[in-house]
Amino acid sequence: MRILIIEDDERLSRFLKHGLTQDGFAVDTCADGESALVEFEVNTYDLVILDWKLPGMDGIEVCKEIRKKGSNVPVLFLTAQDSVTNKIEGLESGADDYLTKPFSFMELAARLQALLRRRYAPLETLEIDDLVMNIPERKVTRGGIRIELSNKEFAILEFFIRNRNRLVTHAALTNHVWEIDFDTGTNVIYVYITQLRNKLNCGSRRPLIHTVRGAGYIFKEPEES
């Protein structure tokens, strides 16, 4: 899943990105509202963390603009503005949650997971063929056998399952699973796909990831022989 952090405090932004990346998210950062809205137009995000006090356009304006675009992406205000009036204004601008600074990273992570659960509640468990993916528990099994995945492999698999039976291009994969500064000229994607394919096949199992040469991949149930 991919998160956009809109925060002009560079040190805090780096801290948040590091912590959330460790939790398995792809994380992009912006230091002002105008550039954040540009990134929002180009990329697809699962969640936005938004500061109130930003240079130029403030967080309230940014949140309103996001909602004007018709997006229902969860927005969490992370700000030092801690009065009840501020909280009401933030929520009324379209935010889904509000956390004041200073804060506990553990609380922030828990709030983010709660927002994501509400957004994807009907799809907390994803299944295809004999593969079962439990999103909240970050658990994957195939034929009842547990498969251990890295954070990035888990993110790739989730994106594949949510887009089953459709062509997933390299661009779409990097857009959702990697950060905006990811070097698309490397063979990192191929390496991860190969590792994931080997784990899912479990030796002799029928493949779920199918390569479309020169275009990308299709994740689908094996055809009956």
Side-chain angles (χ1 to χ4, degrees), residues 84-209:
V84 173
T85 302
N86 291 145
K87 293 176 183 179
I88 292 173
E89 185 178 0
L91 295 171
E92 288 185 343
S93 71
D96 300 272
D97 200 357
Y98 197 104
L99 182 62
T100 57
K101 304 172 185 176
F103 64 96
S104 159
F105 184 81
M106 290 180 64
E107 180 182 359
L108 172 65
R111 286 173 179 256
L112 297 183
Q113 289 296 342
L115 289 173
L116 291 170
R117 278 197 302 273
R118 288 203 291 272
R119 187 180 192 192
Y120 296 118
L123 297 174
E124 284 193 344
T125 299
L126 305 177
E127 299 183 32
I128 182 170
D129 196 42
D130 58 348
L131 178 74
V132 179
M133 186 178 202
N134 187 305
I135 305 297
E137 295 181 11
R138 301 189 69 78
K139 178 181 178 181
V140 177
T141 61
R142 189 168 189 197
I145 300 173
R146 178 75 177 263
I147 301 174
E148 298 296 336
L149 300 179
S150 68
N151 284 334
K152 196 63 73 177
E153 290 167 345
F154 191 93
I156 294 170
L157 178 59
E158 181 182 354
F159 188 66
F160 271 145
I161 298 180
R162 293 190 189 279
N163 292 277
R164 69 184 72 190
N165 301 319
R166 291 188 292 189
L167 176 67
V168 173
T169 64
H170 287 85
L173 198 57
T174 56
N175 180 56
H176 201 77
V177 179
W178 273 273
E179 293 79 8
I180 55 177
D181 56 358
F182 173 70
D183 182 1
T184 56
T186 69
N187 68 341
V188 171
I189 298 175
Y190 172 79
V191 172
Y192 272 107
I193 296 295
T194 300
Q195 292 174 172
L196 180 60
R197 193 196 305 265
N198 290 338
K199 290 183 179 182
L200 296 184
N201 288 349
C202 300
S204 61
R205 293 192 178 278
R206 299 176 300 168
L208 295 170
I209 302 174

